[in-house]
Amino acid sequence: MNLPQVAERYWFSLEKLERRRYSLVFVIALVYLIHYLVFCIPQPFYIEDAGISFAFARNFADGEGFVGYPGGERVEGFSNPLWTFILSGLYTIGMSPWTSAKILGAIFGAATLGFGYGISKRMAMGGTFALLPILMLSLSPQFVIWNAGGLENPLYGLLLSWGTWRLLVEDESVKRYPVSALLFSLAAITRPEGIMYGLIAFFAKTIFTCLNRRWLNLILWLVILLIPFAAYCTWRYQYFAWELPNTYYAKLGKGDRFLPFDWTRKGWKYINNYLGFEIVLTKSGAFKELKGHGLGYVLPIMALGMSSFRGWRFRWSMVLMLPLCLLCLWDGKPDTEGWFSTVWFVEIPKEWKFDKTWVKVRVWAILAYAIWLGLINLGQAGWKARSTLWTLGAASVFFALYSGGDWMDQFRWFHIIEIFLFPVLAEGLYQLYSALPQRWSTGSLMWRERYKKWGKKSVVALFLVAFGTIEITNTVDFAIGPETSVNDIRRRVNYMKWVQSRLDVDHVTLLDVDMGAHMYYSGWDIVDIAGLIDVSMAQHSDFNFKFIEQYIFEERNPEFAHCHGGWAKQSRIPKHKEWKERYLEIPGYPVGGRTLHIGNHVRKDLFIQEYEPEQHPNSLLLSEGLSLEEWSLSAAEVAPGSLMYLYTAWHAEKQDADIQAWIALVDPQSKKLMTVAAFQPGFRWYNIDRWEPDELIEGRFQVPIPKDIPLGTYELLLVVVDHKEAQIQSPSSSEEYSFLPGEISLGKTVTIVSETDAKQAAEDDFHAAVELAKQGDCESAWPMFKESTRHILRNRSWRNRNENRVREAIALCYIQRAQRAEREEKITLLQTARFWDHRVNGLTEASAPLAEELDEEATRLFEEAEEKNSYILGKKIYKKSYETYLASIRLDPTRSWTRRRLEETRDKYLRVKRPAQKRKERKEREKKRKEKRKKKP
């Protein structure tokens, strides 16, 4: 029997009323999908962090492993393993993560609504009210945005809702297999805190088992929960070498996020902002945006849902709520501008200062009240579903508090909280609805009949209108001004790739903080300031000054860096002398209107070198204090419409005005000017008034060739103009070309050839580069290949198609040379081979044994240093051990355990303490102080 027939039989086996309700579930799912499309079509939103998961999925599918960039070290820079695995699997069959994430978000989100209805109808409300929670979810920005944002939220929400529904279904029948255990286990693999929900589900399962006495089923449930999760944890520990994901050390390693008794920061601020409600107006009084969701005003309805509307449970819940409201509404400070005395008619002396104690009492009271509501619910109709949801929801709120909230707009953590607590809120509305009288006992007959028809329903309708208005407003605000997306950071990637092209840099190591777009689109090596995909930065998330100096400026030495604003202040990287000496800020890139995003830096030595006059005997003095020290023309055969590559090197004493250089192509026979192109030495990033006398300023320029220029040979002329007075800077004024007074012949000629001939010249140089590598001249191969690309600079596809072949040939050249070298030279040669092509055949076989040998040697050195029992005696040995570990991991970046031992050795060598160690020592000191106080009489 096929699936449609099975579905048809099931559908018609349902009662008519139930079919109608399921039809409404499909309608609500359609509402969700329409809401979802807002972030797929007019606003194709992907949160920036989604690019991290996409890049890891692609890298793994491409055979690189779970690395931040091709050829990089293993790092668990994602906190959503199962989601990443799924995207990687779909990528291998040809589905892009950008597409698969959107499709899965729609499907998983709609399925979550179905399971949400299945849970809700097992509560006391039942009936049509069970549709209310999923209708609220379909309207919720938290649910829709974060299903569409590219992260793991749709999978996570599906597994948790499916697992909860299945847990309740299994309790209803002895014959049900414990599938819920597997679902919660998969949720634990989806996110690190997922195991918390699995343990809560096990607790619920234990209570259910105490009632039905199915103990073997409970044991089986626990085994199924733990085995997949334990297997994954074992694998990831061996693969990444750390007990917890790298993201944990980067975000929570310092231990300053969990601030349960700080009401105005981090976690509580995050929760209160969601529960609060604020309308922001412009200066003219017009509506600007809406902040928060205002659900704090209906929290008492949740208490109603847990206690019902009548009986001792309700009375005690309302009595206990009064002091809780006092604790939450007043901050415990006497100087509250008369609010307390106005509301409560009590004057608080200003001398009374107990606000810190007040916050502690408030937090413990909230916890106690949450436990109270969970306990009094036991034994009521639908208590199993309601108690399970309440406990899971309370745990979700605790996680938001523990993690210190989230930087992303529209409260991502509340995506899960709403799945659990919206049914409880709907239960409260149902209790309120049920408690209202069926009709008025007084008044005219007409009003009594109208109330009977619309009165009770208007309460729910009013709530839905208010809720829908607020949520739709939040959706519109987010759609107009979304949180930082992958495309936002891709602008920076494109801008810095343009900078890379201008500087003609072949390899880039980048220091930055927004990893998604950089990992997916740049192809660069990356140093992550935030530490998400960088083990060393994550382990030293307090930005220890000694560590930053060694790791960033010695071990990595990035060519490009993006550091400004809050991250610059927090990391203190710009405070280092190496930063000030080595890096130059370049102009920002446009991010909309006239706004520029600043903070982009390049390493100075990419175009600023040390000036040594003796190395430039043929320099051309243009004017007093200004000289052209060197110039060369690469690939003198180019086609019309292409680019000509020109290298220049300049020197100047301090000057007030900047200069502009013009390059002209002139027909030597007719003396006719064919084209002129302008450029500025220093790229407009480093003007001449900042040049130091000991600096040589390099310029690599791509001069456009007109499409209509006739084929032939042309002379290259240079004119340099002073910006200040438009004065020609030249050693002499030649009258040979009257149209360019002050021109200088560079003694170079450019041959304009057909496009076919230019491409053939490129092919010839390309084959020559490969042949040089095969003959053992490793160093000359790459410059020859660069020469080949300059015949057809605009043809990027040709370069991309042939570059890997040249890199492979160069890598093989160094491997062959390493086979004949001594150990120290062999290490350097194999590291160089890996730099050119880390996937070349034979590299792993040649590098792995040597990397293992170096690892063992470094371990022996570390143990020897430990035996010295003195930092002074062991410092040099620690340093040697660190350098040996570093050589090992550069030979074989897959050695995660080597990186772990390297960090331990680095800490010993630099005398650095990691945040976790500092926190542990701080707790020990506090413990000792408390014990000391107790001993005092």
Side-chain angles (χ1 to χ4, degrees):
M1 187 177 293
N2 57 30
L3 187 61
Q5 290 177 335
V6 173
E8 184 181 7
R9 286 188 59 185
Y10 174 77
W11 178 257
F12 286 106
S13 68
L14 298 173
E15 295 181 3
K16 184 177 180 180
L17 182 59
E18 192 64 19
R19 286 204 300 271
R20 185 183 303 168
R21 289 170 181 168
Y22 275 119
S23 299
L24 291 174
V25 171
F26 288 122
V27 171
I28 292 171
L30 182 61
V31 172
Y32 161 74
L33 292 174
I34 294 171
H35 192 175
Y36 186 87
L37 287 175
V38 172
F39 302 99
C40 297
I41 299 176
Q43 172 57 269
F45 172 70
Y46 296 92
I47 190 66
E48 214 284 322
D49 280 10
I52 297 177
S53 298
F54 296 171
F56 274 112
R58 180 196 60 188
N59 292 344
F60 183 74
D62 287 344
E64 298 285 350
F66 289 111
V67 296
Y69 49 87
E73 299 176 23
R74 292 174 176 177
V75 54
E76 194 174 3
F78 48 89
S79 54
N80 48 12
L82 185 58
W83 178 249
T84 305
F85 298 161
I86 292 173
L87 295 181
S88 182
L90 294 174
Y91 183 85
T92 58
I93 61 174
M95 186 178 291
S96 164
W98 309 98
T99 302
S100 58
K102 288 295 187 188
I103 294 174
L104 294 179
I107 296 172
F108 291 172
T112 300
L113 296 177
F115 290 118
Y117 171 70
I119 296 169
S120 298
K121 72 177 187 177
R122 283 169 169 78
M123 300 170 68
M125 52 184 172
T128 308
F129 260 90
L131 297 167
L132 184 58
I134 63 172
L135 177 60
M136 293 168 64
L137 282 176
S138 69
L139 298 174
S140 166
Q142 285 67 51
F143 186 71
V144 177
I145 289 170
W146 296 116
N147 279 347
L151 288 174
E152 72 286 348
N153 295 75
L155 173 63
Y156 197 42
L158 172 65
L159 291 172
L160 291 176
S161 60
W162 189 0
T164 304
W165 170 80
R166 182 69 190 187
L167 183 71
L168 298 171
V169 169
E170 290 166 5
D171 182 64
E172 295 170 357
S173 174
V174 181
K175 297 180 180 180
R176 301 285 184 179
Y177 295 104
V179 177
S180 60
L182 179 60
L183 295 171
F184 279 108
S185 187
L186 292 176
I189 300 174
T190 304
R191 279 202 57 84
E193 76 276 7
I195 192 61
M196 171 182 69
Y197 298 109
L199 295 175
I200 291 172
F202 174 69
F203 177 71
K205 183 74 174 178
T206 303
I207 294 176
F208 300 163
T209 303
C210 291
L211 298 176
N212 55 38
R213 311 283 183 178
R214 297 198 293 265
W215 300 106
L216 285 177
N217 188 268
L218 176 65
I219 296 171
L220 180 61
W221 198 97
L222 181 62
V223 170
I224 294 175
L225 171 71
L226 295 180
I227 285 181
F229 180 67
Y232 166 73
C233 289
T234 302
W235 169 81
R236 60 160 299 281
Y237 183 57
Q238 294 299 321
Y239 190 86
F240 296 110
W242 297 94
E243 291 82 1
L244 297 169
N246 195 66
T247 51
Y248 169 84
Y249 299 107
K251 295 180 178 180
L252 301 173
K254 289 187 291 185
D256 60 349
R257 286 178 175 259
F258 184 42
L259 302 171
F261 300 116
D262 194 330
W263 195 257
T264 58
R265 290 179 59 208
K266 302 274 184 175
W268 280 120
K269 182 179 180 181
Y270 180 80
I271 295 168
N272 291 332
N273 286 345
Y274 171 85
L275 295 175
F277 182 80
E278 180 183 0
I279 298 176
V280 181
L281 303 176
T282 61
K283 292 182 179 179
S284 61
F287 175 80
K288 181 180 180 182
E289 64 175 326
L290 180 68
K291 290 186 177 181
H293 298 264
L295 290 176
Y297 299 103
V298 296
L299 284 180
I301 298 179
M302 286 193 185
L304 191 60
M306 295 299 292
S307 63
S308 76
F309 206 91
R310 294 181 179 84
W312 65 270
R313 294 181 177 89
F314 169 71
R315 290 192 293 272
W316 275 104
S317 296
M318 296 302 106
V319 168
L320 294 174
M321 187 181 293
L322 291 176
L324 186 63
C325 290
L326 169 62
L327 287 165
C328 292
L329 293 175
W330 185 43
D331 58 6
K333 297 179 181 179
D335 52 341
T336 320
E337 299 181 356
W339 178 89
F340 189 86
S341 58
T342 302
V343 175
W344 300 96
F345 308 104
V346 177
E347 290 288 342
I348 303 296
K350 292 185 177 180
E351 294 77 16
W352 290 12
K353 294 182 179 180
F354 50 87
D355 50 306
K356 291 183 178 179
T357 305
W358 189 269
V359 171
K360 290 183 179 180
V361 173
R362 175 193 292 166
V363 171
W364 286 115
I366 291 172
L367 176 61
Y369 194 72
I371 294 172
W372 162 262
L373 291 179
L375 291 175
I376 63 168
N377 170 70
L378 299 177
Q380 298 189 86
W383 71 270
K384 291 182 178 179
R386 199 161 46 248
S387 293
T388 304
L389 288 174
W390 180 254
T391 309
L392 292 170
S396 303
V397 175
F398 170 78
F399 175 74
L401 178 63
Y402 174 78
S403 62
D406 187 64
W407 66 270
M408 303 174 192
D409 198 6
Q410 283 305 331
F411 310 98
R412 182 164 68 109
W413 298 144
F414 276 86
H415 172 275
I416 299 299
I417 295 173
E418 290 180 350
I419 292 174
F420 293 137
L421 294 187
F422 273 2
V424 179
L425 179 59
E427 175 81 14
L429 286 170
Y430 172 75
Q431 295 292 342
L432 182 62
Y433 176 87
S434 301
L436 292 174
Q438 292 293 329
R439 63 176 68 210
W440 283 345
S441 58
T442 58
S444 66
L445 177 63
M446 179 185 69
W447 284 109
R448 288 201 301 269
E449 289 302 317
R450 286 184 178 180
Y451 174 77
K452 180 180 178 181
K453 186 175 182 180
W454 300 106
K456 295 177 68 172
K457 296 178 181 178
S458 64
V459 175
V460 180
L462 183 63
F463 170 81
L464 279 176
V465 168
F467 178 84
T469 302
I470 294 172
E471 300 301 80
I472 291 172
T473 304
N474 274 285
T475 293
V476 172
D477 288 346
F478 192 90
I480 294 172
E483 185 56 88
T484 306
S485 69
V486 176
N487 280 335
D488 292 334
I489 306 304
R490 191 177 183 183
R491 293 196 195 103
R492 183 151 81 240
V493 176
N494 293 338
Y495 175 66
M496 294 309 291
K497 276 186 170 290
W498 173 78
V499 172
Q500 179 186 14
S501 176
R502 291 199 72 187
L503 292 172
D504 195 30
V505 180
D506 297 315
H507 178 85
V508 172
T509 298
L510 170 73
L511 175 73
D512 209 314
V513 67
D514 298 301
M515 290 295 103
H518 285 106
M519 288 176 61
Y520 202 89
Y521 293 111
S522 73
W524 298 335
D525 294 0
I526 298 175
V527 182
D528 181 9
I529 299 176
L532 295 179
I533 67 160
D534 192 312
V535 170
S536 300
M537 293 297 293
Q539 291 296 317
H540 301 86
S541 54
D542 59 342
F543 305 106
N544 181 277
F545 214 76
K546 290 181 181 179
F547 162 77
I548 293 294
E549 183 176 351
Q550 188 195 50
Y551 178 67
I552 292 182
F553 300 112
E554 293 180 22
E555 186 176 321
R556 302 302 298 274
N557 196 24
E559 283 81 12
F560 294 167
H562 183 83
C563 186
H564 78 115
W567 280 106
K569 183 178 180 181
Q570 184 178 350
S571 67
R572 299 174 297 160
I573 290 174
K575 298 289 185 182
H576 289 260
K577 64 177 183 179
E578 290 87 354
W579 175 268
K580 299 172 183 176
E581 293 170 355
R582 297 184 193 178
Y583 290 89
L584 172 73
E585 185 170 9
I586 62 176
Y589 61 93
V591 291
R594 298 182 178 179
T595 306
L596 295 178
H597 192 96
I598 61 173
N600 313 288
H601 296 77
V602 298
R603 210 173 63 207
K604 290 181 180 179
D605 63 2
L606 297 178
F607 71 99
I608 303 173
Q609 306 297 332
E610 185 178 352
Y611 177 57
E612 298 178 3
E614 62 276 5
Q615 294 186 3
H616 307 280
N618 300 321
S619 64
L620 184 62
L621 183 65
L622 300 175
S623 64
E624 185 178 356
L626 175 64
S627 59
L628 179 61
E629 298 293 324
E630 191 177 338
W631 61 96
S632 64
L633 183 66
S634 293
E637 298 84 15
V638 294
S642 185
L643 298 169
M644 177 186 70
Y645 182 89
L646 178 67
Y647 170 81
T648 60
W650 305 77
H651 176 260
E653 303 291 340
K654 285 277 188 177
Q655 295 196 11
D656 295 334
D658 211 345
I659 57 172
Q660 183 83 19
W662 295 346
I663 290 291
L665 289 184
V666 177
D667 187 340
Q669 302 300 324
S670 65
K671 311 304 181 186
K672 181 180 178 182
L673 176 67
M674 307 306 296
T675 184
V676 176
F679 64 86
Q680 184 170 349
F683 302 101
R684 299 186 186 274
W685 304 334
Y686 193 55
N687 294 336
I688 197 170
D689 58 347
R690 298 170 61 188
W691 295 6
E692 298 293 337
D694 61 346
E695 292 178 344
L696 183 73
I697 310 301
E698 296 181 320
R700 300 171 178 87
F701 303 102
Q702 298 176 5
V703 181
I705 303 298
K707 291 183 178 180
D708 57 352
I709 190 170
L711 305 185
T713 301
Y714 298 91
E715 188 176 356
L716 202 62
L717 302 181
L718 171 70
V719 176
V720 182
V721 180
D722 185 321
H723 274 190
K724 188 174 183 181
E725 299 177 358
Q727 178 181 353
I728 303 297
Q729 303 291 310
S730 170
S732 62
S733 291
S734 169
E735 297 181 0
E736 187 175 355
Y737 303 111
S738 59
F739 52 83
L740 283 176
E743 79 289 338
I744 308 155
S745 175
L746 294 179
K748 304 288 183 182
T749 58
V750 180
T751 303
I752 307 300
V753 298
S754 67
E755 188 173 341
T756 302
D757 290 342
K759 191 170 183 180
Q760 185 58 51
E763 291 284 349
D764 292 342
D765 287 346
F766 160 68
H767 291 298
V770 175
E771 191 61 30
L772 283 170
K774 289 180 178 179
Q775 293 174 1
D777 189 357
C778 313
E779 291 77 12
S780 301
W782 186 252
M784 178 58 71
F785 175 69
K786 294 294 290 289
E787 186 84 2
S788 73
T789 63
R790 289 163 185 162
H791 291 288
I792 46 176
L793 271 173
R794 292 191 188 276
N795 195 338
R796 298 294 301 175
S797 62
W798 184 90
R799 171 170 180 161
N800 295 336
R801 190 167 59 252
N802 293 290
E803 182 174 338
N804 289 338
R805 287 181 59 190
V806 177
R807 287 184 173 274
E808 181 183 4
I810 295 173
L812 286 171
C813 178
Y814 280 109
I815 291 173
Q816 292 169 3
R817 190 182 293 181
Q819 292 172 353
R820 303 184 298 270
E822 297 296 329
R823 196 183 91 142
E824 293 305 317
E825 186 184 1
K826 184 177 183 180
I827 293 170
T828 303
L829 290 171
L830 289 175
Q831 288 175 352
T832 307
R834 178 170 291 279
F835 170 83
W836 286 109
D837 186 356
H838 64 279
R839 300 185 70 174
V840 66
N841 290 331
L843 179 60
T844 301
E845 291 77 2
S847 299
L850 188 54
E852 179 66 26
E853 180 184 328
L854 288 170
D855 185 281
E856 293 174 356
E857 181 181 327
T859 303
R860 287 195 299 270
L861 288 168
F862 181 81
E863 292 171 353
E864 181 183 343
E866 290 284 274
E867 290 173 0
K868 294 294 182 183
N869 217 4
S870 167
Y871 173 73
I872 297 174
L873 295 174
K875 182 178 180 180
K876 289 185 178 180
I877 306 176
Y878 280 130
K879 182 180 180 181
K880 180 63 176 174
S881 176
Y882 157 77
E883 292 171 347
T884 309
Y885 275 132
L886 186 59
S888 173
I889 205 167
R890 282 177 172 171
L891 279 173
D892 185 2
T894 65
R895 302 183 64 86
S896 304
W897 287 93
T898 301
R899 170 54 70 178
R900 176 165 183 158
R901 288 188 285 268
L902 182 149
E903 295 305 324
E904 293 170 359
T905 307
R906 187 207 307 272
D907 293 348
K908 293 282 187 177
Y909 163 50
L910 297 178
R911 303 187 80 174
V912 167
K913 293 180 180 178
R914 296 184 210 173
Q917 186 179 355
K918 290 180 181 178
R919 187 169 67 252
K920 183 178 178 181
E921 292 178 356
R922 186 168 60 249
K923 288 182 178 179
E924 289 177 353
R925 287 195 299 269
E926 291 176 358
K927 185 178 179 181
K928 288 180 180 179
R929 280 198 296 267
K930 289 180 180 179
E931 291 176 353
K932 201 171 182 180
R933 289 195 200 102
K934 289 180 181 179
K935 291 179 181 179
K936 286 185 178 181

